[in-house]
Amino acid sequence: QVQLVGSGGGLVQAGGSLRLSCTASGLTGSRYAIGWFRQAPGKEREFVAAGRWPGPSIYYADVVKDRFSISRDNAAKNTVYLQMNSLNPEDTALYYCAASQTIILSQMRNPGAYGYWGQGTQVTVSS
């Protein structure tokens, strides 16, 4: 059974940075994808960033691509990070990580293509 634990959220002022972590257990083999999604109150869940390893193949939403960076821990290959810089109040949301070991690249932005989800970590950016 695959389990994901997301962490690293918090309260930060506009312009600040946070690094989210997603630690996966139960993955079989070395090939998998981790996606980050977020959901603000009253809004639909939206894609933020995703990576598939080995490769990696990396994808970003346009609204974050110059500010956020997804990477994998080279030592602990079951941990993926989302480095978030230049945060603004519009980034406030509950952030989820998701995993798939069967996803195809064309579906990396599709939340329905991920079979496993973490519990979410809250990011709040004050103005």
Side-chain angles (χ1 to χ4, degrees), residues 4-127:
L4 303 175
V5 177
S7 63
L11 174 63
V12 64
Q13 289 187 334
S17 298
L18 284 173
R19 188 178 76 164
L20 305 184
S21 300
C22 180
T23 300
S25 61
L27 293 172
T28 58
S30 61
R31 186 178 189 87
Y32 64 88
I34 296 290
W36 286 97
F37 297 82
R38 66 187 184 186
Q39 187 165 18
K43 294 187 177 181
E44 294 186 354
R45 188 169 299 189
E46 66 173 351
F47 169 75
V48 177
R52 194 177 79 172
W53 290 268
S57 297
I58 303 293
Y59 300 83
Y60 296 101
D62 289 343
V63 294
V64 308
K65 65 181 179 180
D66 296 325
R67 302 182 293 123
F68 291 11
S69 176
I70 188 171
S71 63
R72 185 174 74 168
D73 191 310
N74 287 329
K77 289 182 169 45
N78 63 334
T79 297
V80 171
Y81 303 108
L82 182 68
Q83 177 67 41
M84 307 186 296
N85 300 325
S86 302
L87 287 161
N88 59 62
E90 290 71 36
D91 295 315
T92 295
L94 189 59
Y95 283 70
Y96 298 90
C97 62
S100 172
Q101 292 196 272
T102 60
I103 197 169
I104 58 176
L105 294 179
S106 63
Q107 292 297 307
M108 293 282 280
R109 294 179 172 85
N110 178 8
Y114 294 81
Y116 307 100
W117 289 81
Q119 81 284 9
T121 183
Q122 178 68 39
V123 171
T124 302
V125 184
S126 63
S127 57

